Amino acid sequence: MRHLNILTFITLFTLVLTGLPSPCHAFQSHPAPEGLYVHQMSHVLFIGALAYLYWHLGKSSLIASRGWHYMRLFCLLFLVWNCLTFAGHASYSYLSVDDFVNMGTWQSKIALPVTPLKLLYYLTRFEHLISVPAIFCLFIGLRLFYREVCAEEEK
Amino acid sequence: MINLPLVPAIIADIGGSLIVIIVAFLSAQYAYRLTKIQPENFLWGFLFYLCVAMTAFATSRGVGHIVRQFLILSGNETAWRTLSPFSGGINTLLITSAASVIIYYHKWLEAYEAIQIEVGKQKVANAKLAETAEELHEMNLNLEEIVEIRTQDLSISEKKFRHFFENSKDMVYFCNDGGQVSDINQSGVEMLGYQERPDKLDLHSFFKDVEDLEKYLQTLHDNGFVRDFEIEMERQDGSLCHALLSANAILNEKGEVVGCEGVAKDMTRIKTITDQLISQRKMASIGQLAAGVAHEINTPLGIILGYSQLMQDDFSKESEEHQNLNVIERQTKACQKIVADLLKFSRQSASEKVQLQLNDVIEDVISVTEHSLNMAHIHIIKELAADLPLISGDPERLRQVLFNLINNAHHAIGENGNVTVCTSAPPGNTTITCTVTDTGRGIPAEIQDKIFDPFFTTKGVGQGTGLGLSVTYGIINDHDGSVILESPTSSGSGTSFHLSFPILITKTNI
């Protein structure tokens, strides 16, 4: 029942995000921002799923292996990464070509003045600093499981 | 103001994407291995699908980012603008897929928990099974040890009782209710007169007296046991054996007697010794009595004899009084002889013992009696051992012994027969033996224990005083010897008297 509630919440949240008032036609067209919105919603869905898994792993008594701690860490880091990426997509949508210098070259920069929005975008470009440790946590967790299972089978 | 160069971000983007793709694939590989090792574990299945989704997403996104950087930096931004919606769309789909896998995690977990519960139950059951198996194993081991110990005990016990059974000097037997022997030891076989156990042996057939057998069986059925039951058994060779029998009945489930197990002790030798002791004591008592009577009678007889002889002088020889006194004198002398014999029997008479050769005494007696024996067609057979050792004895009294025995033999044969006199000195023995055997009618068993009693005779009135064998017995005893009667003899008839005398110990034969 608790899982159902979480799913209901995620669904309602998505509906609120997507249910912006607009003219209602028999056939709805899909202008450019729609793809971004859907992508952002998928990040939100992923955030919710990871939060749920993080919470569930924390309360499960059956799971005693150390590998599950890494799995929880993976959830947490990926959740943060999703937030960061969500913020990156959002901030980028507010920037224009004028905010960049030498676009398409190795000398490309963010044009002055550096606003908080520009700074946020700049920081989000380093999202791999989160995703790489996150995927390593997944890897380490699985490797621990594998070794434990091998040791168990050897018995 | 400081510009924010995007080169580090570009490098981080390309490098990070590559690393994420590689690590995602490695993770998927581990997840795959886990599902292969434990395919029944739903959690590994969940992780495998999660890794597949994450690897697909990482690959799609990483490749997209790298392609974007290269296209933009190479001045093909237009191409990227074309590809961008596809890349973003695929990424969106893959993010949703990964999220979907995670959302259904609880279902995976439920399945896992259900299986774990079953596995737990199975483990508990297996543990109990293993525990029970271990207990059974230990019990089995203990049982084997117990059985081994019991078997050893049984073997020792069996050996002990088998040893007792085999080596017992008494008869130990097991037989059925009909007397058929199922098992008997060697002593029992020998006691019944066999060298080896015959195939079939009926114990009851050895009972000489039917009444004894009936009483034995009755007691066994009534009491369940028989204790110290004296019986006379007739051996296979016909000889008698006195036995003391104790037995227990063997009962079946219904309490019926189906057989018996018992022990029989051969009492023949003890009975013979006992009989001899009784006889000796009896003879000693009679001897004392006879000696007392003889002494008391001897004096008046002497007076009667003296007065009768004196009175004879007072009458003429032809007178009736003289004749009567002659009768008195003769009968008195007869009485004196009887008294003298009684004294000899009771060993009260004086004797002078010298070294003598028994063969010489025998020759003397035979020379005197041979004539009368020949008259009755009785042949004397002499089997005298040469070099017979000397004995100490009164030759006169020993002559009387042999005279009595030959005379009795004559009387037993009547006419036509043999009297054998033999002497021997078995090597190693301290005695010599002299046997007088006749071929007469023998002495009935019921009077054999009375023949040495004074005044016991089978002869008619006036034919004998019944003191002959008594005197013989007294004289032999006085010589520290023994006299044994055997009737019938080993030939099946006749009588033998076996005399034995201690060999004289002199300096020469020490």
Side-chain angles (χ1 to χ4, degrees):
Chain A
M1 185 59 78
R2 194 175 290 173
H3 309 311
L4 193 65
N5 291 340
I6 292 164
L7 285 174
T8 310
F9 169 75
I10 292 167
T11 309
L12 287 173
F13 184 71
T14 309
L15 285 172
V16 168
L17 282 176
T18 54
L20 293 172
S22 64
C24 186
H25 304 285
F27 179 78
Q28 189 174 342
S29 64
H30 297 282
E34 212 169 82
L36 177 64
Y37 290 170
V38 171
H39 189 79
Q40 291 290 69
M41 278 183 253
S42 73
H43 275 294
V44 171
L45 182 65
F46 203 12
I47 288 166
L50 287 166
Y52 158 69
L53 185 59
Y54 178 82
W55 164 76
H56 206 293
L57 290 177
K59 76 180 185 68
S60 178
S61 59
L62 279 175
I63 297 163
S65 168
R66 206 154 55 89
W68 291 106
H69 295 292
Y70 283 98
M71 293 306 294
R72 285 192 83 200
L73 196 55
F74 156 75
C75 291
L76 187 63
L77 289 172
F78 239 88
L79 190 147
V80 173
W81 175 84
N82 270 285
C83 293
L84 201 63
T85 313
F86 184 90
H89 286 309
S91 59
Y92 183 71
S93 65
Y94 289 103
L95 296 176
S96 64
V97 179
D98 299 334
D99 293 324
F100 297 94
V101 178
N102 298 328
M103 281 286 281
T105 66
W106 286 104
Q107 289 78 33
S108 60
K109 297 173 187 171
I110 292 174
L112 294 173
V114 179
T115 61
L117 186 66
K118 289 177 183 173
L119 188 62
L120 176 64
Y121 172 73
Y122 187 75
L123 290 175
T124 59
R125 289 296 301 271
F126 292 95
E127 37 94 10
H128 281 101
L129 296 177
I130 304 295
S131 68
V132 170
I135 202 76
F136 263 106
C137 283
L138 178 68
F139 170 75
I140 292 166
L142 284 164
R143 194 177 61 176
L144 279 170
F145 290 142
Y146 177 72
R147 287 178 178 174
E148 284 171 5
V149 168
C150 285
E152 192 180 319
E153 290 296 315
E154 277 178 13
K155 286 178 185 176
Chain B
M1 292 294 288
I2 300 169
N3 288 329
L4 295 174
L6 289 168
V7 173
I10 293 167
I11 293 168
D13 195 19
I14 295 169
S17 295
L18 280 171
I19 292 168
V20 167
I21 291 168
I22 292 165
V23 176
F25 268 103
L26 292 172
S27 302
Q29 190 194 13
Y30 273 119
Y32 176 73
R33 286 181 186 174
L34 283 168
T35 57
K36 286 293 169 190
I37 295 170
Q38 290 182 340
E40 75 283 355
N41 192 328
F42 276 66
L43 286 178
W44 302 153
F46 160 73
L47 288 175
F48 175 67
Y49 284 111
L50 177 62
C51 285
V52 168
M54 286 302 297
T55 305
F57 168 64
T59 307
S60 164
R61 189 170 186 274
V63 170
H65 279 223
I66 293 166
V67 168
R68 188 186 75 170
Q69 293 300 339
F70 280 103
L71 285 176
I72 290 173
L73 289 172
S74 62
N76 294 313
E77 193 175 346
T78 313
W80 170 246
R81 286 190 183 282
T82 308
L83 286 174
S84 177
F86 291 103
S87 174
I90 292 168
N91 289 348
T92 305
L93 279 174
L94 293 173
I95 288 172
T96 312
S97 300
S100 301
V101 172
I102 292 172
I103 285 166
Y104 284 100
Y105 160 73
H106 68 281
K107 287 291 175 191
W108 295 92
L109 188 64
E110 280 173 11
Y112 170 76
E113 284 174 344
I115 287 173
Q116 282 303 106
I117 288 166
E118 287 302 315
V119 168
K121 284 179 182 173
Q122 193 69 36
K123 276 184 181 172
V124 170
N126 285 343
K128 281 184 180 173
L129 202 63
E131 196 178 332
T132 311
E134 185 65 27
E135 282 176 7
L136 275 172
H137 180 65
E138 280 181 16
M139 281 171 71
N140 194 32
L141 279 177
N142 290 338
L143 193 66
E144 281 179 8
E145 281 177 18
I146 290 166
V147 167
E148 199 174 329
I149 290 166
R150 293 280 162 84
T151 307
Q152 280 178 355
D153 290 348
L154 208 61
S155 173
I156 291 166
S157 176
E158 200 274 339
K159 204 178 283 180
K160 188 167 66 182
F161 285 104
R162 173 57 56 182
H163 188 266
F164 168 75
F165 177 79
E166 300 278 352
N167 296 295
S168 173
K169 302 302 174 196
D170 297 328
M171 178 201 290
V172 182
Y173 65 92
F174 298 86
C175 66
N176 64 17
D177 200 29
Q180 287 296 325
V181 173
S182 58
D183 206 354
I184 187 168
N185 61 352
Q186 186 57 29
S187 296
V189 170
E190 288 169 7
M191 197 166 153
L192 296 174
Y194 294 95
Q195 290 300 315
E196 289 183 2
R197 188 191 157 180
D199 292 336
K200 287 186 176 178
L201 204 58
D202 182 2
L203 190 72
H204 295 173
S205 68
F206 291 91
F207 279 65
K208 186 170 184 288
D209 193 343
V210 179
E211 284 181 11
D212 279 350
L213 176 61
E214 286 172 358
K215 193 178 174 187
Y216 160 76
L217 291 173
Q218 191 63 45
T219 311
L220 204 61
H221 280 78
D222 291 349
N223 301 339
F225 66 91
V226 172
R227 182 180 292 159
D228 298 338
F229 189 71
E230 282 189 49
I231 59 163
E232 212 172 24
M233 299 173 88
E234 192 168 358
R235 290 194 181 99
Q236 189 256 344
D237 58 5
S239 61
L240 291 178
C241 165
H242 293 273
L244 195 65
L245 202 149
S246 294
N248 285 309
I250 299 172
L251 309 176
N252 63 10
E253 299 82 12
K254 296 174 184 172
E256 297 165 344
V257 177
V258 292
C260 73
E261 53 196 13
V263 178
K265 189 170 187 64
D266 188 353
M267 302 294 284
T268 308
R269 189 164 167 272
I270 292 172
K271 185 169 172 53
T272 306
I273 292 169
T274 307
D275 288 348
Q276 284 176 354
L277 277 172
I278 292 168
S279 176
Q280 281 174 0
R281 290 182 73 85
K282 185 181 77 175
M283 298 304 278
S285 300
I286 293 170
Q288 278 183 334
L289 178 69
V293 171
H295 274 298
E296 291 302 319
I297 291 173
N298 214 16
T299 307
L301 281 177
I303 293 167
I304 291 167
L305 185 62
Y307 274 95
S308 63
Q309 287 171 344
L310 281 173
M311 287 176 71
Q312 280 178 1
D313 295 338
D314 296 336
F315 300 98
S316 64
K317 286 186 179 177
E318 290 77 21
S319 65
E320 189 181 352
E321 289 82 2
H322 193 274
Q323 294 297 321
N324 289 340
L325 286 168
N326 260 342
V327 172
I328 291 170
E329 183 189 5
R330 197 165 58 244
Q331 293 305 316
T332 305
K333 283 181 178 175
C335 285
Q336 276 189 322
K337 188 176 181 300
I338 291 169
V339 169
D341 285 344
L342 280 175
L343 287 171
K344 283 176 188 170
F345 162 69
S346 61
R347 290 177 275 170
Q348 297 292 316
S349 59
S351 69
E352 289 182 9
K353 290 178 182 171
V354 294
Q355 291 183 23
L356 60 88
Q357 174 56 259
L358 188 63
N359 287 345
D360 296 341
V361 176
I362 292 166
E363 291 286 1
D364 290 348
V365 175
I366 288 173
S367 64
V368 174
T369 57
E370 195 169 20
H371 178 71
S372 61
L373 288 170
N374 287 339
M375 291 289 287
H377 305 289
I378 296 169
H379 301 288
I380 285 273
I381 302 167
K382 293 185 285 184
E383 294 175 357
L384 304 180
D387 303 325
L388 195 68
L390 297 175
I391 61 169
S392 170
D394 184 339
E396 189 57 39
R397 300 179 76 185
L398 289 177
R399 276 189 208 103
Q400 187 179 353
V401 166
L402 287 161
F403 184 82
N404 284 342
L405 293 177
I406 292 170
N407 203 31
N408 280 350
H410 184 182
H411 185 260
I413 294 167
E415 289 187 341
N416 299 318
N418 295 322
V419 174
T420 306
V421 182
C422 66
T423 56
S424 64
N429 272 20
T430 57
T431 58
I432 61 167
T433 59
C434 171
T435 304
V436 179
T437 307
D438 64 56
T439 55
R441 57 182 177 271
I443 300 171
E446 58 270 19
I447 62 166
Q448 285 185 5
D449 58 340
K450 297 174 185 170
I451 59 168
F452 294 110
D453 292 358
F455 305 111
F456 178 81
T457 181
T458 57
K459 297 172 186 171
V461 178
Q463 290 182 330
T465 57
L467 284 169
L469 285 175
S470 306
V471 170
T472 299
Y473 182 87
I475 293 169
I476 297 296
N477 269 328
D478 194 36
H479 284 76
D480 299 323
S482 66
V483 54
I484 296 168
L485 166 68
E486 182 189 1
S487 182
T489 61
S490 53
S491 63
S493 63
T495 304
S496 287
F497 284 94
H498 303 280
L499 311 178
S500 71
F501 300 96
I503 295 170
L504 180 66
I505 299 170
T506 61
K507 286 181 181 175
T508 53
N509 58 10
I510 285 175

